[in-house]
Structure formats: structure tokens, C-alpha cells
């Protein structure tokens, strides 16, 4: 299939959860309140950051499998062994990261100065569920990377869209049925993530591992960790710097302020869906055996197309974000978040062009 079609698959996979979020966030805010929503936003952010410390195994397995296109019996066994090795490595990394992060998070929550006692207790009760989510997230990155290498973007986006819908809807359902306690909301998120990982694993067994039983390949593990280590160095620092501000805001001003800031950030971040969809489709093509000229040509064409398409959308978003926030949530939210969202829109536009190039 073409890069254009793969990009459309990826774009649809990101836009559908966005539409669902636009429909559910006002209701979730009304049901659990702005303070708990801010805490939940920090929980999602924390799990995402912990998932980054997987030694870049997702991109590594994608790069490795993209170069193993042969369908001989030996090549199929080699692909399966490489895949299962990456899954095992990321499972161990996820469990280790969770075991380290759990007591550290409990200590940090205990020091929180802008959180009342009842809310602090709710967060402490939610920490085990957050820890359980980490290995699920790290393993899922390998599963997505393997399917990306096989260029099954339809499967990836169908499963991830269903999973993202679960992340949005299950906490809302739980809050309606059982109350807005943080532990229950995080448990609902864990269930959605776990179901998504199981579906991805099932598809990988069919398309990548071809039903072959799990095996360990020491050579593949070393190669994947070396490549993934470099990816980790280049990808961890940026997201940590981008998200650290929300933790500082929560620490100094409380979870309600995080709600305002996070909603502005998330809305502005949606303009990145086109570039990330394009990157996701380009990566296996660039990882395959091509000349420097072909890779350079692909990159130039991608950046040119992105600038032409993205610029008018960003200009319109800067003008309309204030009225939209007022209509979507409230005039109070618009008064606080509009200027922040406009700064984010300008920054994300510049960042996305550089990211593709």
C-alpha cells in the first residue's frame, strides 16, 4: 500500500479518539470535578512517561523486522524469535520500572503540598493500578512496532482506536456507577489498556510470530537494546521537558490548575496528528533497504506536504480556540486557557515540521 493510504489510516486512528474526547471530557469534568480530572491527567501523563523507559524497543523491533522481508522457513523463525525476545525484554523492563516507580511515587504523593488529605489517600490507593499499567504499556509498544514493520496500519489503528475509546469511556462509566474515586478511574484505564494489549498480541501472533512458540534470541536482544538505547536517548528528554510543567503546576497550585493547563495543551497538541501519522507510515519505508537519495526525496516531499496542509489549520485554530473553549466548556475555562492554547499551537506547528524533517 502507499504511504498516503497508510497516513490516512494513522490519521483516522488519531482523529476518532479526538472526537470521542471532545464529546466525553465535558461530561467527565461534570461527573468527577475539575480537581480529580487534573489528578487523572497527571496519572495518564505519568504512565506515558514510564512507558518511555522501555529502551526504545518499539522503534527497534519495527526497524529490525522491516529489514527481514524474506518468507523462507528460517527467516520466519528468525522473525518470530526476534519478536518474542523484544516482548520479553519490554515485559521485564516494564515490571522493573513499575517496582522502582511505585515506592517513589508514594513518597512524592506523601509530600504533596497542594493536595488535601482525602484526595491524597485516593491517589495512594490508585498507585498499584498505575504500576500494573506500566508493563502493559511497554509491551504494547513492541506489539505496535511489530505490526508497523509489517505495515498493517489498519489493524494498529482499529485496535488502538477501540482501546482509546475504552480509556475515555470506562472511567466515565465507572464514575457514574461507583463514584469519582481516583483508584476506580485508574482501574478502568488499566482494564482498557490490558484489553488493547491482548488484541495487539493476538494480531501479532497471526502476522508476525505466525503461531510459533516464544523463544529467546540473545543476539537479537543485544542488537535491539543497542538500537533502542539510542532511540531512548533522543526521545525521552523532550517529552519529560514538555510534561514537567504540569507536575510543577500541580505541586504549586493544585490539581484544578492542571485541568485548565492540560485541556489547553491537549487541544493544541491535536494539530500534531497529521505529522505523527505521516511519520508512522514513513518509518518502515525508511528502515527498509533504500538509497540515501530515495530517503532524502521522501523526506523533502513529506515536509513540503506537511507545511502546505498544516499552516492554514494552525492559523484558523489560533483565531477560533477561544470561542470554541467558551462554547465547549465554559467562559471561565476560555478566559484562563485561550492564551496558553495559542502559544501551544504556534510551538507545536514549528516542532512538527522539524520532527518530520
Amino acid at each position: 500500500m502507499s504511504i498516503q493510504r497508510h497516513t490516512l489510516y494513522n490519521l483516522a486512528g488519531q482523529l476518532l479518539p479526538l472526537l470521542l474526547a471532545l464529546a466525553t471530557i465535558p461530561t467527565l469534568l461534570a461527573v468527577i470535578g475539575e480537581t480529580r480530572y487534573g489528578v487523572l491527567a497527571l496519572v495518564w501523563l505519568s504512565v506515558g512517561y514510564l512507558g518511555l523507559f522501555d529502551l526504545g524497543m518499539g522503534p527497534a523491533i519495527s526497524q529490525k523486522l522491516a529489514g527481514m522481508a524474506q518468507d523462507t522457513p528460517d527467516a520466519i523463525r528468525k522473525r518470530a524469535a526476534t519478536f518474542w525476545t523484544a516482548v520479553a525484554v519490554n515485559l521485564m523492563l516494564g515490571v522493573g520500572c513499575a517496582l522502582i516507580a511505585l515506592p517513589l511515587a508514594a513518597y512524592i504523593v506523601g509530600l504533596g503540598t497542594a493536595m488535601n488529605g482525602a484526595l491524597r489517600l485516593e491517589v495512594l490507593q490508585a498507585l498499584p493500578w498505575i504500576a500494573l499499567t506500566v508493563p502493559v504499556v511497554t509491551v504494547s509498544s513492541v506489539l505496535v512496532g511489530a505490526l508497523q514493520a509489517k505495515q498493517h496500519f489498519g489493524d494498529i489503528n482499529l485496535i488502538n482506536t477501540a482501546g482509546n475509546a475504552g480509556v475515555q469511556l470506562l472511567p466515565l462509566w465507572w464514575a457514574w456507577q461507583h463514584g469519582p474515586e481516583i483508584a476506580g478511574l485508574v482501574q478502568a484505564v488499566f482494564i482498557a489498556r490490558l484489553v488493547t494489549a491482548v488484541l495487539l498480541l493476538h494480531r501479532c501472533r497471526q502476522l508476525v510470530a505466525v503461531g510459533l512458540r516464544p523463544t529467546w534470541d540473545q543476539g537479537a536482544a543485544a542488537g535491539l537494546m543497542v538500537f533502542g538505547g539510542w532511540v531512548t536517548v533522543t526521545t525521552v528528554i523532550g517529552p519529560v521537558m514538555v510534561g514537567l510543567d504540569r507536575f510543577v503546576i500541580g505541586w504549586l497550585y493544585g490539581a484544578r490548575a492542571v485541568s485548565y493547563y492540560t485541556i489547553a495543551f491537549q487541544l493544541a497538541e491535536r494539530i500534531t496528528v497529521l505529522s505523527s501519522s505521516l511519520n508512522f507510515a514513513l518509518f518502515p519505508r525508511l528502515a527498509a533497504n533504500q538509497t540515501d537519495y530515495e530517503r532524502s526525496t521522501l523526506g523533502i516531499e513529506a515536509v513540503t506536504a506537511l507545511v502546505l496542509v498544516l499552516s492554514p489549520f494552525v492559523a484558523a485554530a489560533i483565531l477560533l480556540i477561544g470561542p470554541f473553549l467558551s462554547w465547549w466548556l465554559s467562559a471561565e475555562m476560555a478566559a484562563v486557557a485561550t492564551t496558553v492554547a495559542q502559544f501551544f499551537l504556534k510551538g507545536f506547528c514549528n516542532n512538527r515540521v522539524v520532527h518530520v524533517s
Side-chain angles (χ1 to χ4, degrees), residues 8 58 63 78 87 96 111 119 171 179 189 199-200 259 305 320 357:
L8 288 176
Q63 188 270 346
K78 181 67 174 177
V87 170
L111 293 177
L119 190 60
V189 172
L199 293 174
L200 289 169
S259 294
L320 298 176
S357 62

Side-chain angles (χ1 to χ4, degrees), residues 54 97 128 130 146 174 195 197 202 248 305-306 319 345 353 356:
D54 64 350
C97 185
I130 298 173
W174 183 277
V195 171
H202 173 69
V248 174
L306 184 64
L319 293 174
L345 283 165
V353 173
V356 172

Side-chain angles (χ1 to χ4, degrees), residues 85-123:
T85 299
V87 170
V89 169
N90 259 28
L91 179 60
M92 291 185 288
L93 287 169
V95 171
C97 185
L99 292 175
I100 294 172
L102 183 58
L104 180 61
Y107 175 74
I108 293 173
V109 170
L111 293 177
T113 58
M115 188 182 300
N116 63 52
L119 190 60
R120 183 183 294 112
L121 180 60
E122 287 185 30
V123 175

Side-chain angles (χ1 to χ4, degrees), residues 5 21 58 75 90-91 95 104 133 155 202 227 229 238 242 257 274 283 326:
R5 182 174 298 182
N90 259 28
L91 179 60
V95 171
L104 180 61
T133 306
D155 293 315
H202 173 69
F227 181 90
V242 168
L274 181 59
F283 187 80
S326 183

Side-chain angles (χ1 to χ4, degrees), residues 30 104 117 171 178-179 243 330 338 348:
L104 180 61
H178 304 285
S330 67
T338 296
F348 276 123

Side-chain angles (χ1 to χ4, degrees), residues 83 143 146-147 150 152 154-156 158-159 196-211:
F83 166 74
L143 304 178
L147 292 175
K150 300 293 289 183
H152 282 273
D155 293 315
I156 294 171
L158 181 62
I159 295 171
T196 302
V198 170
L199 293 174
L200 289 169
L201 179 61
H202 173 69
R203 203 68 181 115
C204 284
R205 283 179 57 85
Q206 293 176 325
L207 298 172
V208 182
V210 200

